[in-house]
Amino acid sequence: MSIASRARGALTLGLAAVLATAGVTALSGTARAASTLGAAAAEKGRYFGAAVAANHLGESAYATTLNTEFNSVTPENEMKWDATESTRGSFTYGAADQIVSHAQSRGMKVRGHTLVWHSQLPGWVGGLAAADLRTAMNNHITQVMTHYKGKIHSWDVVNEAFQDGGSGARRSSPFQDRLGNGFIEEAFRTARSVDPAAKLCYNDYNTDGVNAKSNAVYNLVKDFKARGVPIDCVGFQSHFNSASPVPGDYQANLQRFADLGVDVQITELDIEGSGSAQATGYGNVVRACLAVSRCTGITVWGVTDKYSWRAGGTPLLFDGNYARKAAYTSVLTALGGTSPGGGGSAACTVTYAKAEEWSDRFNGRVTVTAGSSAISTWTTTVTVTSPQKISTTWNGTPTWDSSGNVMTMKPNGNGSLAAGASTSFGFTVMTNGTTTAPRLGGCTAS
Ligand code: XIL
């Protein structure tokens, strides 16, 4: 496709998406392929969201990354029972409200997570006898959904009600143990009566491929559909690592649920690892969702590796310095977008780490990682804060701006990198009394 026709296509689809989703920003105003996750997903008729913690919204790099790249949010913990009703009948919404207003004022959608779950459940709930527990559950659903009525596109009404392993049995919880199998149906019926406009989802993990647990959820949904119990969507958490990789039948599993007449959503995606293996996993998930017309959106479980619930596994799209990872490029490419400055599919990301340190100077190391395609060369910039000066560099060819504070670095000789492969260069910063970390510009590859 020519660049011009591709740009026209993007513009037409983008406008259609704006009209269809009223309020979700799909275009930045220029007629070119989408260059953010949210915009690229919107052009495919999907949302692309992140789990968000209210206490990080004040960090400017966190908020900027969220606001630029994502068009849906899920409060990571703030809507859970222990956050909203830690004491019976006393509801607290401060932190969740902060996330909802942040999202609403920027045209982002909000996923509600979660109303009935065995975890992050205050102790008082587990102490109730059956009739009282039923009242408390229905009241909790009613109060929280009423507070957010009209502001939530999808609610995880019930989370993780099935056991792991081959039994397909229900997980023990106060709800299951006192109210029996019917608690899920009761929760969904109550939820529908409170906010009929919200999509009502069942959400779980280890249900991402066809297995005993997903079969049990499948049978639940099938039964609900057959009996007219309200249910609109199934959430697939999609927490992956080397022991639990993206299943080969991921798309087929999403499709069989969609064929029951529910939407499917990827609700908590993260993939532990790095480089091309991680990038490939992310690309596979995105392509699977796009191949299932009822897969309406993808949420990753956090903005940056540094605040991930599995930070040690670096499972997200942005590293601890908010640099785009190879996984980011893989997702954006799978969504049909193009990295700003990336020529075609060639792309790279950069991360900074401080190395040795002395009283008057420190060494910095920048790692350059190719995106999901091989690259033949790369360029990035390192900016130091005056009166700092860079005194030495190695493994790169630097040029300088007139101030001497901005160094543009290119490869020293052959800049070729295989997809997902990394190289690094280093430099010494004379602090001259200022220890501020250098700032990296974007990475450009061809
Ligand atoms: C996790 C949060 O990310 C953590 O901050 C918290 O300590 C525990 O819960 N399944 C879910 C999510 O549905 O709510 C969980 O979130 C991750 C697993």
Side-chain angles (χ1 to χ4, degrees):
M1 206 195 305
S2 73
I3 290 176
S5 66
R6 185 191 177 109
R8 273 197 307 279
L11 182 60
T12 316
L13 285 167
L15 287 174
V18 167
L19 293 172
T21 58
V24 174
T25 310
L27 273 191
S28 58
T30 47
R32 51 168 298 167
S35 61
T36 67
L37 303 173
E43 288 181 357
K44 302 285 187 189
R46 270 69 171 192
Y47 63 85
F48 203 95
V52 168
N55 62 330
H56 299 314
L57 288 174
E59 184 182 323
S60 74
Y62 183 94
T64 301
T65 305
L66 172 67
N67 299 345
T68 305
E69 293 287 347
F70 298 94
N71 58 14
S72 173
V73 300
T74 303
E76 185 171 357
N77 289 298
E78 292 77 351
M79 287 184 179
K80 292 171 181 176
W81 198 316
D82 63 352
T84 51
E85 193 188 9
S86 64
T87 301
R88 187 171 190 178
S90 164
F91 288 84
T92 45
Y93 297 114
D97 283 356
Q98 220 185 311
I99 295 173
V100 171
S101 64
H102 183 101
Q104 283 205 308
S105 64
R106 290 164 181 84
M108 299 169 171
K109 296 166 167 252
V110 183
R111 287 197 89 255
H113 177 77
T114 176
L115 296 166
V116 181
W117 188 28
H118 67 277
S119 186
Q120 293 176 273
L121 186 66
W124 64 264
V125 181
L128 303 179
D132 208 10
L133 178 63
R134 174 174 284 112
T135 306
M137 180 184 84
N138 287 324
N139 185 54
H140 183 78
I141 294 169
T142 303
Q143 296 297 324
V144 177
M145 285 188 79
T146 300
H147 183 80
Y148 290 111
K149 193 168 177 173
K151 299 182 176 177
I152 305 277
H153 72 80
S154 304
W155 263 112
D156 290 331
V157 178
V158 175
N159 196 32
E160 301 182 355
F162 287 88
Q163 261 175 39
D164 282 324
S167 70
R170 296 296 189 87
R171 176 196 294 274
S172 167
S173 72
F175 309 107
Q176 181 66 36
D177 300 350
R178 314 259 148 77
L179 307 181
N181 284 352
F183 89 88
I184 302 185
E185 172 170 352
E186 177 144 0
F188 275 82
R189 289 193 187 280
T190 302
R192 176 68 94 230
S193 73
V194 179
D195 186 355
K199 300 245 187 207
L200 307 181
C201 304
Y202 175 81
N203 190 53
D204 214 327
Y205 68 96
N206 284 353
T207 51
D208 313 299
V210 177
N211 57 39
K213 190 173 176 182
S214 66
N215 287 344
V217 177
Y218 181 88
N219 289 332
L220 173 92
V221 176
K222 196 173 174 192
D223 172 58
F224 276 20
K225 282 291 178 186
R227 293 192 295 112
V229 179
I231 184 165
D232 307 304
C233 38
V234 176
F236 297 83
Q237 292 186 10
S238 306
H239 295 292
F240 297 119
N241 53 39
S242 56
S244 171
V246 182
D249 56 3
Y250 191 70
Q251 180 184 321
N253 190 48
L254 297 178
Q255 187 65 58
R256 72 170 177 151
F257 278 87
D259 290 344
L260 291 176
V262 287
D263 288 346
V264 294
Q265 302 177 358
I266 315 301
T267 52
E268 305 183 13
L269 176 62
D270 54 11
I271 305 179
E272 294 185 51
S274 61
S276 58
Q278 183 179 52
T280 301
Y282 267 104
N284 289 342
V285 169
V286 171
R287 282 184 290 272
C289 178
L290 293 180
V292 175
S293 60
R294 292 199 75 148
C295 182
T296 57
I298 299 172
T299 301
V300 289
W301 204 240
V303 174
T304 159
D305 281 343
K306 74 171 164 173
Y307 298 138
S308 163
W309 72 311
R310 292 177 171 173
T314 60
L316 295 172
L317 303 178
F318 293 87
D319 73 12
N321 295 315
Y322 298 95
R324 296 169 170 86
K325 296 165 57 178
Y328 169 94
T329 310
S330 176
V331 168
L332 186 61
T333 305
L335 290 170
T338 310
S339 283
S345 58
C348 54
T349 56
V350 277
T351 58
Y352 167 77
K354 186 163 74 176
E356 300 80 5
E357 192 172 17
W358 299 269
S359 58
D360 61 338
R361 64 196 194 283
F362 60 88
N363 286 345
R365 187 174 64 244
V366 172
T367 302
V368 179
T369 305
S372 52
S373 314
I375 61 174
S376 53
T377 192
W378 50 264
T379 308
T380 190
T381 62
V382 177
T383 303
V384 297
T385 306
S386 188
Q388 292 175 336
K389 286 289 171 220
I390 295 181
S391 60
T392 329
T393 71
W394 52 96
N395 289 344
T397 306
T399 52
W400 305 87
D401 77 333
S402 55
S403 73
N405 292 329
V406 184
M407 172 175 77
T408 299
M409 191 61 108
K410 294 182 191 297
N412 190 356
N414 182 3
S416 298
L417 288 174
S422 296
T423 186
S424 61
F425 63 85
F427 51 89
T428 300
V429 178
M430 304 305 300
T431 64
N432 294 317
T434 300
T435 55
T436 311
R439 295 186 305 281
L440 298 183
C443 190
T444 308
S446 60

